[in-house]
Amino acid sequence: MADLKIKICGMEFSNPVMPAAGPPVRDGLMCQAAARGGAGAIVTKTISVEPADVPRPCMAEVKGGFLNTELWSELPKEQWLAEEYKLAKDTGLPLIIGLGYTAEQIEILAPLVAPYADALELSTHYVGNDISPIINALKAAKKAVDVPVFMKMSPHPNIQEIAQAVEAAGADGLVMINSFGPCMGIDLETGLPLMGSANGYGWLSGAAIKPLALRCIYDAAQVVKIPIIGVGGVTCGRDVAEMFMAGAAAVQVCTEAILKGPTIYGKIVKELDAFLEQHGYASLAEIQGLTQRKVAEQQKAATVAIPTIDMDKCTLCGLCMVSCVYDAISRDTKLNIAADKCFGCGLCISRCRQNALSF
């Protein structure tokens, strides 16, 4: 087995997979279910000064992803302090407590949860250009507690600028990304929006936003030294490996845990271990940031690559040939790629279900 243990800000994790703040950790019992399901740490659902009035319907599966109008916890902070955090703490796993949203609210909440928290995760769900709301929330938490404080970030286009500013302001780590939106889905049978919000809008999560999450992690990892916890579209062990290659130090899972239940954490961990073993990696450290290193090597080479074919894996299904817009692929008794036609676009590699093609 590969070494799946990680250490972040002094906290030791048996594996890098944990729930994201959301419905799968809506109370203490669900936190315990996540622990039994194989999570390496617990992140609690974000609380604020007042319980959330969540518009309903608030969740819907859509093609390729998931829409939600989830807010912070609908449970009052008093219930979390009296009951839920104790149950979460009883798991024995590192406990990261989610807080939101403004500096004034966090200033009230952070001292209250400090006795239970191994770390805080702050969510502002802020997508504007003015960084001060994020920085002010962070400073309020840092002033109130002496545990690590992670900032959960929305998918800003200027993610590097904000990541650097948050690091300079004292953040101990980043969590990225929050769900993306606003977005919309419509029930074709009724004509009504899928979400019960006033305008029918919701936020997109699940597999659809993984490429966006990877871009944000990859960009931020190039300019900060603090750890990044990746979240957004993790459904399997290979997704975890992708996030590590982009630069993540751990991952969180939300949508897949909603759809598959709390045993998903352990399943993802087993798949991650299998991936590392199959590819000859002894630890997660070997793949963390790998993509940055590979891209640097590729840029030095500066040549167009032609896919190579492993005929032991190829089944001659023709999927690559059908979708080759350059008419570079043909088949007879074997698959052929014409070097003078191939553009090196890479589509055939991504479509091959047998992994028979590679650069």
Side-chain angles (χ1 to χ4, degrees), residues 21-23 45-48 51-55 58 68-74 101 123 125 197 203:
K45 190 170 184 180
T46 303
I47 68 165
S48 196
D53 182 12
V54 180
C58 58
N68 74 87
T69 56
E70 274 289 313
L71 302 173
W72 58 97
S73 177
E74 62 274 17
Y101 285 79
S123 181
H125 221 306
S197 56
W203 298 84

Side-chain angles (χ1 to χ4, degrees), residues 302-306 342-345:
T303 57
V304 176
I306 306 301
C342 179
F343 194 68
C345 73

Side-chain angles (χ1 to χ4, degrees), residues 78-102:
E78 291 81 7
Q79 181 175 336
W80 278 98
L81 292 165
E83 303 173 29
E84 313 306 336
Y85 290 135
K86 293 177 183 178
L87 293 172
K89 195 73 173 175
D90 285 345
T91 64
L93 299 177
L95 183 59
I96 303 171
I97 291 181
L99 299 181
Y101 285 79
T102 67

Side-chain angles (χ1 to χ4, degrees), residues 4-6 11-19 34-43 91-96 250-251 265-266 269:
L4 300 183
K5 296 184 181 69
I6 61 169
M11 296 180 291
E12 296 183 354
F13 302 69
S14 59
N15 70 70
V17 180
M18 66 191 87
R36 292 193 300 271
I42 297 297
V43 182
T91 64
L93 299 177
L95 183 59
I96 303 171
V251 302
Y265 309 109
V269 170

Side-chain angles (χ1 to χ4, degrees), residues 64-356:
F66 195 82
L67 281 179
N68 74 87
T69 56
E70 274 289 313
L71 302 173
W72 58 97
S73 177
E74 62 274 17
L75 304 179
K77 65 181 183 301
E78 291 81 7
Q79 181 175 336
W80 278 98
L81 292 165
E83 303 173 29
E84 313 306 336
Y85 290 135
K86 293 177 183 178
L87 293 172
K89 195 73 173 175
D90 285 345
T91 64
L93 299 177
L95 183 59
I96 303 171
I97 291 181
L99 299 181
Y101 285 79
T102 67
E104 293 75 19
Q105 291 168 335
I106 290 168
E107 187 176 12
I108 294 169
L109 295 167
L112 298 177
V113 305
Y116 304 101
D118 294 306
L120 299 182
E121 177 183 294
L122 308 184
S123 181
T124 60
H125 221 306
Y126 175 74
V127 293
N129 293 320
D130 178 10
I131 303 174
S132 60
I134 302 173
I135 301 302
N136 292 339
L138 172 63
K139 288 181 176 179
K142 293 292 290 185
K143 185 178 179 180
V145 298
D146 58 1
V147 297
V149 178
F150 304 141
M151 179 60 71
K152 189 168 186 178
M153 300 175 64
S154 294
H156 297 269
N158 56 332
I159 199 76
Q160 288 187 325
E161 175 190 348
I162 297 178
Q164 287 178 305
V166 169
E167 180 182 44
D172 298 284
L174 304 176
V175 181
M176 58 176 63
I177 56 173
N178 240 318
S179 50
F180 176 77
C183 298
M184 192 175 191
I186 293 174
D187 183 339
L188 288 176
E189 300 304 317
T190 66
L192 290 169
L194 293 174
M195 297 290 99
S197 56
N199 50 19
Y201 298 166
W203 298 84
L204 184 66
S205 64
I209 70 167
K210 188 185 73 172
L212 179 57
L214 286 170
R215 190 275 297 174
C216 290
I217 295 165
Y218 179 77
D219 280 356
Q222 295 178 57
V223 297
V224 300
K225 296 179 180 179
I226 54 178
I228 298 171
I229 300 176
V231 56
V234 174
T235 66
C236 63
R238 295 177 69 88
D239 293 337
V240 180
E242 270 193 274
M243 287 202 165
F244 265 79
M245 288 182 182
V251 302
Q252 295 179 355
V253 181
C254 185
T255 299
E256 198 70 3
I258 294 172
L259 297 175
K260 303 290 178 61
T263 58
I264 191 64
Y265 309 109
K267 180 176 182 291
I268 290 173
V269 170
K270 289 180 182 178
E271 292 169 349
L272 173 63
D273 182 60
F275 171 84
L276 294 173
E277 184 177 352
Q278 290 165 5
H279 291 76
Y281 296 117
S283 70
L284 289 165
E286 293 184 30
I287 65 170
Q288 188 175 6
L290 179 63
T291 302
Q292 292 182 39
R293 299 191 292 274
K294 289 289 187 178
V295 167
E297 293 172 4
Q298 186 181 59
Q299 288 174 342
K300 287 180 181 178
T303 57
V304 176
I306 306 301
T308 58
I309 308 165
D310 185 342
M311 286 308 303
D312 291 334
K313 294 181 179 179
C314 179
T315 62
L316 294 174
C317 69
L319 190 64
C320 59
M321 184 176 69
V322 169
S323 59
C324 181
V325 298
Y326 302 98
D327 193 29
I329 304 177
S330 60
R331 61 177 177 174
D332 37 53
T333 57
K334 65 176 185 177
L335 196 70
N336 305 288
I337 299 178
D340 59 332
K341 292 183 177 181
C342 179
F343 194 68
C345 73
L347 176 61
C348 59
I349 294 174
S350 69
R351 297 205 75 201
C352 183
R353 302 299 180 255
Q354 285 73 41
N355 295 318

